[in-house]
Amino acid sequence: MENELITAPDKHNDEITIDELVLKITSLLTDITAPDLKEFKNLAENPDFEKLYTYICDLRKLSYAIQRGELGIFVKSKGFVLSNLKSLQSNLRHLTWQTQRIAEGDFSQKVDFLGDFSEAFNKMTVRLDESNTKLMTLANTDALTHIPNRLSLQHYLEKIFRSRHDVYLFMMDLDHFKQINDTYGHVVGDGVLVHVSEVLQEQLRNTDFIARYGGEEFVAILLNTDHETAGKIAERILSAVRVPFTI
């Protein structure tokens, strides 16, 4: 039987060198796949190093989650860098909520925690609010007479019906309007409609509502009015509209 060479185990095989440690930590901070804690050999059983390893792993996890927009990811570790990331994560969650509010029409949302982005965001909300106001005005205003249109009338009726107000509603139609258009042309006809809308606004009170229903039809709604007063206002409107005028 041949003699076997027996060697004593090298007690340093389980210890990590400084160069290896630097490479492993660099890999832990920069590579897509993180080295396992066991690869740090004897340091894996060191409580302080295990804490450092966990901190860096949490840093990787949270930064990757924020980069992907996964704002519901939480980590237990604490510290300066992670505190900054957690603050950013919290701000982004709040910003997401604010964006949802803006999508629902709340343009009062303001951001004050993201530097230059905050200024750009706030300018955007102001311009959206202005544009939305203009669009709402255009959508609810008659282009010719500049008084509320049928859509605006519908919204107003829905509002007062919900509030259960007693109201008087006048439906007004200009007699023989087609003859005006046929005889004098649509430009003159438009002038008549503008004049009548101005007369109606002059005769109605500030609390009353006037709208162009369509064509030569107008609607007036009177709130907080008794029967006698409503009748007087109706007679006053008829008298004013019948007064001769020049286009």
Side-chain angles (χ1 to χ4, degrees):
M1 180 176 180
E2 296 182 359
N3 293 331
E4 295 181 357
L5 181 63
I6 300 176
T7 58
D10 187 354
K11 66 177 180 179
H12 297 293
N13 283 345
D14 290 333
E15 294 183 359
I16 190 169
T17 67
I18 294 296
D19 290 340
E20 289 176 326
L21 178 62
V22 170
L23 290 175
K24 292 292 184 184
I25 291 180
T26 300
S27 176
L28 187 61
L29 288 169
T30 61
D31 291 355
I32 295 177
T33 302
D36 188 85
L37 179 60
K38 294 179 180 180
E39 296 182 36
F40 289 90
K41 300 179 180 180
N42 60 306
L43 289 179
E45 299 177 359
N46 184 303
D48 290 333
F49 183 79
E50 184 178 1
K51 182 178 179 180
L52 173 62
Y53 179 86
T54 301
Y55 181 89
I56 296 176
C57 287
D58 282 351
L59 179 62
R60 290 170 58 93
K61 179 180 178 181
L62 186 58
S63 62
Y64 183 62
I66 292 175
Q67 181 267 332
R68 290 174 57 86
E70 299 173 357
L71 303 179
I73 301 298
F74 296 93
V75 296
K76 294 182 179 180
S77 299
K78 300 178 181 179
F80 177 74
V81 178
L82 272 175
S83 293
N84 290 335
L85 284 179
K86 289 179 179 180
S87 178
L88 174 61
Q89 181 189 46
S90 176
N91 288 339
L92 290 175
R93 282 200 302 268
H94 185 67
L95 182 63
T96 300
W97 176 84
Q98 288 183 293
T99 305
Q100 292 170 343
R101 294 292 301 161
I102 291 172
E104 295 172 2
D106 179 7
F107 300 108
S108 66
Q109 298 298 318
K110 295 291 183 290
V111 175
D112 57 5
F113 47 75
L114 288 175
D116 292 341
F117 175 84
S118 297
E119 183 178 354
F121 185 92
N122 294 338
K123 286 181 179 179
M124 178 193 71
T125 57
V126 169
R127 291 176 181 174
L128 283 174
D129 191 18
E130 292 173 348
S131 297
N132 184 67
T133 300
K134 291 178 181 178
L135 288 174
M136 290 296 294
T137 299
L138 289 173
N140 289 277
T141 303
D142 179 61
L144 176 64
T145 61
H146 302 297
I147 64 174
N149 60 14
R150 186 169 180 171
L151 177 63
S152 183
L153 171 65
Q154 179 180 336
H155 293 161
Y156 185 77
L157 287 173
E158 292 172 353
K159 178 181 177 181
I160 62 174
F161 286 159
R162 284 197 300 268
S163 63
R164 299 181 180 275
H165 279 291
D166 293 330
V167 301
Y168 282 85
L169 187 149
F170 299 159
M171 191 77 181
M172 297 165 281
D173 181 272
L174 300 184
D175 295 337
H176 313 300
F177 183 72
K178 184 176 184 303
Q179 294 181 13
I180 296 175
N181 281 333
D182 292 343
T183 304
Y184 302 103
H186 287 278
V187 173
V188 172
D190 287 349
V192 171
L193 293 173
V194 171
H195 172 75
V196 170
S197 69
E198 292 172 349
V199 171
L200 293 176
Q201 292 177 86
E202 291 172 357
Q203 299 304 318
L204 293 170
R205 304 164 301 178
N206 292 334
T207 56
D208 299 330
F209 181 87
I210 178 71
R212 184 183 177 193
Y213 190 75
E216 70 276 20
E217 298 173 325
F218 295 85
V219 172
I221 299 176
L222 283 60
L223 298 178
N224 303 318
T225 305
D226 56 46
H227 185 74
E228 181 179 355
T229 302
K232 290 180 179 179
I233 293 175
E235 289 295 335
R236 193 169 68 212
I237 289 173
L238 285 175
S239 298
V241 171
R242 287 169 177 167
V243 173
F245 65 96
T246 302
I247 298 296

